[in-house]
């Protein structure tokens, strides 16, 4: 049974930082592209960042580029999202997703999903 478990969310002031983690089990982690998505209240889930199977390639939404960094450790079956210079508009539930493909850049591409972790940025 595949499980993705996110952690690291919380309440932070604008300008602050958080690091999210997502640990996977039940799959061969290094064969899956990994991604982070988020869903704010009343809005659709949107792409944030993704990373290729090896970690050599990364992709970002324009709204987070330069502030967020995605990385992975295939020895720990874990993908990370370092979030710096947080803004109130970054407030959302953050989900990680795994896709058995070279890249994941849309909600439809996700094969497996975590249950999410809430990030709240106060102004």
């Amino acid at each position: 049974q595949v499980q993705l478990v996110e952690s690291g969310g919380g309440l932070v002031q604008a300008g602050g930082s958080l690091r999210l983690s997502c640990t996977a089990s039940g799959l061969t982690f290094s064969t899956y592209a990994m991604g982070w998505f988020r869903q704010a209240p009343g809005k659709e889930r949107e792409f944030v960042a993704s990373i290729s199977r090896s970690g050599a390639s990364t992709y970002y939404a324009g709204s987070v580029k330069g502030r967020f960094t995605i990385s992975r450790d295939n020895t720990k079956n874990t993908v990370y999202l370092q979030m710096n210079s947080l803004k109130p508009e970054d407030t959302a539930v953050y989900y990680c997703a795994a896709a058995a493909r070279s890249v994941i850049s849309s909600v439809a591409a996700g094969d497996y999903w975590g249950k999410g972790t809430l990030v709240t940025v106060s102004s």
Side-chain angles (χ1 to χ4, degrees), residues 21 28 31 35 37 39 41 48 65 121:
S21 300
T28 304
T31 66
F37 293 75
Q39 188 166 16
V48 174
K65 199 167 187 178
V121 184

Side-chain angles (χ1 to χ4, degrees), residues 2-3 12 15 27 29-30 32 34 37-38 41 49 54 61 71 75 77 84 95 100 106 108 111 113 116:
V2 175
Q3 282 193 313
V12 63
L27 51 72
F29 185 72
S30 61
Y32 283 78
M34 299 298 296
F37 293 75
R38 67 187 181 186
S54 67
S71 61
T75 66
N77 287 6
N84 298 330
Y95 299 89
S106 69
D111 295 319
W113 292 87

Side-chain angles (χ1 to χ4, degrees), residues 58-80:
T58 56
Y59 309 88
Y60 297 93
S63 59
V64 307
K65 199 167 187 178
R67 299 188 298 123
F68 291 9
T69 302
I70 189 170
S71 61
R72 66 188 294 162
D73 185 339
N74 286 349
T75 66
K76 297 182 178 179
N77 287 6
T78 300
V79 61
Y80 305 97

Side-chain angles (χ1 to χ4, degrees), residues 72-103:
R72 66 188 294 162
D73 185 339
N74 286 349
T75 66
K76 297 182 178 179
N77 287 6
T78 300
V79 61
Y80 305 97
L81 186 68
Q82 178 66 43
M83 306 186 295
N84 298 330
S85 303
L86 282 161
K87 305 175 182 180
E89 50 264 43
D90 294 318
T91 295
V93 177
Y94 283 71
Y95 299 89
C96 74
R101 58 185 70 200
S102 58
V103 66

